[in-house]
């Protein structure tokens, strides 16, 4: 609240690219070792910017998982691309890197790995494929802020990385996000795109004496008031991360017994991934069991929820995309998954209540 007051009263500047925006992007550049970080109005918008900057054209194909949020697809649909959905791995719920190559055609322009639950995709394999076929890689790291693949921050491995600071994510500014890239050749176009197609960023730096319309653009810069809110969160990033991991590890340890009995499955984190406890989910036998369990949890006063309905089976997914290969895991695994309460202010006592309720459920 102090920082918001500072933005409003002291700085007297709540439009975009004020002092708090600069602090947030510099912090991320340093902490995530990213050459460029531009704060945006959402992860959806960071994805839209990526699709534009990657030169996606009508008729191009973009490979992505079907088990993801709609924005992963929307950003490319806006450029006229077709979404080609590839099956997920049942262990991480991430795109199956071994099934991508078969989905590549003459029209393929990009791969969009989504780091589900902040657990990294197998990026070495994906980057090798991208290199072999000359494709762009756009990481949907909406859930992967402060999570790593072999020590590299998610969002800094592909050509572009997209973060979300939506209220439901680990670090929040209400609505917001960031676009990351490592190649400075994109900087000028990205700045123009973000500032309504003008060279206003150059003007603010004193590099030109007036700004004009130089290319297509939109408005992707958030208010500095929102950045002030985010700045307070970034300052406490390690504290927030530690607390979330504590809850995650608590669930993981306490629910191991149910997993040993074969009643539930627990999330898997590969050795190459350092996750950020964005989410704790379990998987049960089938859809019917999950429905019963969700109702039961609700009766206990605990909100546990399912997650994505696979995009290829949605109305828009059928219009704008196709599934390549066989849907072995996407639908099946999505129907078995439920998420447990996971947020910063959740106490271990409360998490303990969740565990007890799950242990007392009789119909696994
Ligand atoms: C939350 C989320 C988004 C969208 O983020 P916004 O900042 O709300 O636009 C995109 N992709 C994934 C995987 C997400 O979880």
């Amino acid at each position: 609240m102090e920082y918001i007051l500072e933005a409003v009263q002291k700085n007297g500047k709540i439009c975009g690219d004020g002092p708090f925006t600069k602090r947030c992007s510099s912090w991320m550049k340093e902490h995530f070792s990213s050459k460029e970080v531009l704060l945006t109005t959402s992860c959806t918008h960071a994805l839209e910017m990526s699709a534009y900057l990657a030169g996606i054209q009508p008729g191009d194909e973009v490979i992505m998982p079907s088990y993801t949020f709609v924005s992963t697809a929307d950003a490319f649909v806006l450029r006229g691309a077709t979404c080609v959905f590839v099956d997920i791995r049942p262990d991480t719920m991430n795109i199956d890197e071994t099934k991508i190559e078969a989905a590549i055609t003459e029209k393929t322009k990009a791969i969009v790995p989504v780091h589900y639950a902040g657990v990294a995709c197998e990026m070495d394999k994906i980057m090798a494929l991208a290199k072999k076929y000359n494709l762009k890689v756009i990481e949907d790291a909406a859930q992967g802020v402060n999570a790593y693949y072999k020590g590299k921050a998610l969002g800094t491995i592909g050509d572009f990385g997209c973060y979300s600071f939506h209220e439901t994510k680990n670090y929040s500014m209400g609505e917001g996000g960031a676009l990351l890239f490592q190649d400075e050749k994109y900087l000028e176009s990205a700045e123009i795109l973000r500032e309504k197609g003008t060279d206003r960023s150059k003007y603010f730096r004193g590099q030109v004496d007036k700004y004009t319309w130089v290319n297509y653009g939109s408005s992707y810069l958030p208010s500095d008031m929102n950045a002030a809110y985010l700045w307070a969160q970034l300052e406490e990033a390690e504290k927030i991360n530690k607390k979330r991991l504590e809850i995650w590890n608590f669930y993981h340890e306490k629910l191991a017994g149910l997993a040993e009995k074969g009643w539930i499955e627990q999330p898997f984190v590969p050795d190459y991934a350092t996750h950020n406890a964005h989410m704790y989910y379990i998987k049960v036998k089938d859809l019917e069991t999950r429905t019963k369990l969700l109702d039961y949890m609700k009766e206990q006063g605990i909100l546990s929820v399912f997650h994505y309905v696979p995009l290829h089976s949605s109305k828009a997914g059928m219009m704008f995309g196709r599934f390549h290969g066989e849907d072995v895991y996407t639908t099946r695994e999505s129907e078995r998954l439920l998420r447990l309460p996971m947020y910063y202010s959740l106490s271990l006592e409360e998490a303990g209540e969740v565990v007890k309720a799950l242990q007392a459920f009789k119909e696994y």
Side-chain angles (χ1 to χ4, degrees):
M1 297 312 291
E2 270 170 38
Y3 288 159
I4 290 174
L5 214 60
E6 188 178 325
V8 177
Q9 287 186 328
K10 184 162 161 266
N11 300 343
K13 181 174 166 65
I14 57 169
C15 65
D17 281 338
F20 283 106
T21 303
K22 290 198 178 82
R23 269 190 230 177
C24 291
S25 35
S26 306
W27 188 95
M28 285 190 273
K29 279 186 199 177
E30 197 183 313
H31 277 74
F32 303 138
S33 299
S34 181
K35 196 94 194 139
E36 297 300 339
V37 178
L38 295 175
L39 211 60
T40 61
T41 29
S42 65
C43 178
T44 306
H45 282 165
L47 287 160
E48 283 181 14
M49 290 180 73
S50 303
Y52 180 82
L53 294 167
I56 304 298
Q57 301 284 327
D60 289 350
E61 291 179 357
V62 177
I63 294 175
M64 63 184 70
S66 170
Y67 186 69
T68 183
F69 190 56
V70 294
S71 300
T72 316
D74 273 328
F76 297 91
V77 168
L78 183 64
R79 304 253 70 82
T82 297
C83 304
V84 176
F85 302 114
V86 167
D87 209 7
I88 52 166
R89 296 165 43 152
D91 59 353
T92 58
M93 305 296 285
N94 283 334
I95 191 165
D96 187 339
E97 67 279 359
T98 66
K99 292 181 182 167
I100 294 173
E101 190 161 15
I104 296 172
T105 71
E106 301 269 271
K107 292 179 178 170
T108 309
K109 289 288 152 54
I111 307 172
V112 189
V114 179
H115 304 294
Y116 187 68
V119 175
C121 296
E122 202 357 324
M123 290 306 291
D124 281 349
K125 301 249 168 65
I126 292 169
M127 295 310 290
L129 277 176
K131 196 167 172 208
K132 183 172 168 191
Y133 293 96
N134 193 25
L135 309 175
K136 295 276 190 277
V137 173
I138 296 128
E139 298 177 72
D140 182 339
Q143 303 173 13
V145 181
N146 206 12
Y148 301 82
Y149 172 81
K150 297 185 179 173
K152 284 185 208 158
L154 302 188
T156 66
I157 304 160
D159 297 273
F160 300 98
C162 305
Y163 286 169
S164 175
F165 300 116
H166 184 265
E167 191 169 59
T168 52
K169 301 303 200 291
N170 289 28
Y171 310 102
S172 160
M173 55 194 279
E175 302 275 357
L179 172 70
L180 289 75
F181 49 90
Q182 311 312 314
D183 193 334
E184 276 170 286
K185 76 174 180 210
Y186 294 119
L187 182 60
E188 192 171 336
S189 329
E191 283 182 343
I192 291 167
L193 175 62
R194 185 166 165 271
E195 268 280 22
K196 298 97 185 162
T198 72
D199 53 359
R200 194 162 164 185
S201 301
K202 268 190 173 168
Y203 168 76
F204 281 136
R205 283 194 297 266
Q207 291 165 331
V208 288
D209 56 13
K210 63 178 185 326
Y211 72 85
T212 60
W213 188 28
V214 289
N215 204 338
Y216 163 79
S218 188
S219 183
Y220 292 129
L221 66 173
S223 162
D224 213 47
M225 203 157 47
N226 297 50
Y229 193 95
L230 180 65
W231 175 241
Q233 306 244 320
L234 295 181
E235 277 190 321
E236 302 281 8
E238 271 331 295
K239 188 174 160 194
I240 293 170
N241 196 40
K242 203 167 148 252
K243 175 70 196 290
R244 296 188 75 103
L245 283 166
E246 194 174 86
I247 300 166
W248 198 100
N249 291 330
F250 178 86
Y251 278 141
H252 209 60
E253 187 188 316
K254 301 290 176 195
L255 294 172
L258 291 179
E260 273 161 33
K261 288 186 181 126
W263 293 353
I264 66 162
E265 280 167 47
Q266 295 184 283
F268 170 71
V269 181
D271 283 340
Y272 55 68
T274 308
H275 75 103
N276 59 2
H278 173 63
M279 184 191 307
Y280 196 90
Y281 65 79
I282 59 169
K283 284 191 257 177
V284 293
K285 192 171 65 208
D286 52 20
L287 179 59
E288 197 189 331
T289 313
R290 185 183 70 180
T291 307
K292 280 187 194 152
L293 182 54
L294 287 176
D295 288 345
Y296 161 84
M297 293 297 270
K298 205 169 168 187
E299 282 163 25
Q300 312 299 306
I302 297 165
L303 184 68
S304 58
V305 284
F306 57 83
H307 213 180
Y308 307 128
V309 174
L311 297 184
H312 74 282
S313 50
S314 68
K315 186 179 160 198
M318 286 183 231
M319 267 193 303
F320 300 125
R322 62 181 157 79
F323 198 97
H324 183 274
E326 200 190 335
D327 169 12
V328 184
Y329 296 113
T330 301
T331 301
R332 200 182 87 187
E333 299 302 300
S334 70
E335 286 179 347
R336 306 199 297 128
L337 181 144
L338 81 155
R339 296 179 286 159
L340 305 182
M342 164 62 81
Y343 45 89
Y344 178 74
S345 58
L346 187 77
S347 70
L348 290 189
E349 288 76 50
E350 288 169 318
E353 294 297 315
V354 177
V355 170
K356 264 191 223 147
L358 288 170
Q359 285 166 340
F361 182 64
K362 295 278 182 288
E363 296 176 81
Y364 284 111

